[in-house]
Structure formats: C-alpha cells, structure tokens
Amino acid sequence: QVQLVESGGGLVQPGGSLRLSCAASGSIYSIGTMAWYRQGPGKERELVARIRRVANSKDYADTVKGRFTISRDNAKNTVYLQMNSLKSEDTAVYYCNGVLSTAPWRSDGNYWGQGTQVTVSS
C-alpha cells in the first residue's frame, strides 16, 4: 500500500534547472533515509544523492556535487532533488528510494518509485 511517486521530470536545456519530487503515500509510520538514484542509457543504476532523517546529513555523487541539492519535507513525506547546471550526461531515469516502516512493530523496508525521465538536450 505504500508508494513512492516521482514527479517533475521532463526535457530541459543544458545549463537549465529542474526539481524532482518524490512523495510517499499510504500507511506510513516513519521514514528514514531517502535517496535519488538514476540510470542512464546503457548504464547501471547509480546513487545520485541521499539524505538521512535524524541528522539530515547529505551525500552526493561526485558527478553532481555542487550542482544538485537534496532536501526533504518530513511533514509532507516528500524528498526533493534540485538540479542546476544540468548537463547532457545527467540524462537518465531518476528513481526515488526510501527506507520506511508502516508500523512501529515492523522492521524497515526499502521502497522504490517508478522513476521519472529527465532529458537534458538542446
């Protein structure tokens, strides 16, 4: 019943910006670490950025550091990825990932969204 739904993908010109959103819905007790992954054409899925709930610490792939910013709104159960100075190599399907639990007596689960396409092209 728990779902992660990405939105905000689309076509953008090189150097442009885009903000992705991932909203968790359903019966949710708590959400821990959330992250963005991406998979470009002919490439393996890679971690782009992640953010932890308690410490709000962030990690970024070297390829996006300084250009991308991950953030979260815990009240909305939503994680964002602000992407600036986009490059053609950023073109990929971006997936939202979250560690969450549906009840206090249940262990955490690892959930994935369906993905949203980001295309950087002129």
Side-chain angles (χ1 to χ4, degrees):
Q1 293 184 353
V2 173
Q3 290 185 328
L4 298 179
V5 181
E6 302 96 336
S7 63
L11 176 65
V12 64
Q13 294 183 338
S17 298
L18 205 62
R19 189 177 80 156
L20 305 182
S21 298
C22 172
S25 62
S27 182
I28 301 172
Y29 175 72
S30 65
I31 302 177
T33 299
M34 299 193 75
W36 287 97
Y37 290 78
R38 69 184 181 187
Q39 186 169 11
K43 298 181 178 180
E44 294 293 318
R45 183 189 66 185
E46 64 176 350
L47 176 67
V48 177
R50 64 184 167 200
I51 181 170
R52 295 171 174 82
R53 179 183 176 89
V54 179
N56 202 38
S57 60
K58 303 171 183 179
D59 297 293
Y60 298 95
D62 289 338
T63 52
V64 306
K65 193 172 297 182
R67 298 188 297 119
F68 290 10
T69 302
I70 188 170
S71 62
R72 64 194 295 167
D73 186 336
N74 293 328
K76 296 181 179 180
N77 291 334
T78 301
V79 63
Y80 305 94
L81 184 67
Q82 178 66 46
M83 304 183 293
N84 298 325
S85 302
L86 284 163
K87 306 174 181 179
S88 60
E89 51 263 43
D90 294 318
T91 295
V93 177
Y94 285 71
Y95 297 92
C96 178
N97 172 260
V99 177
L100 58 88
S101 65
T102 57
W105 57 86
R106 294 173 182 167
S107 60
D108 293 345
N110 195 27
Y111 295 83
W112 291 91
Q114 296 295 322
T116 184
Q117 177 70 48
V118 172
T119 302
V120 184
S121 177
S122 59

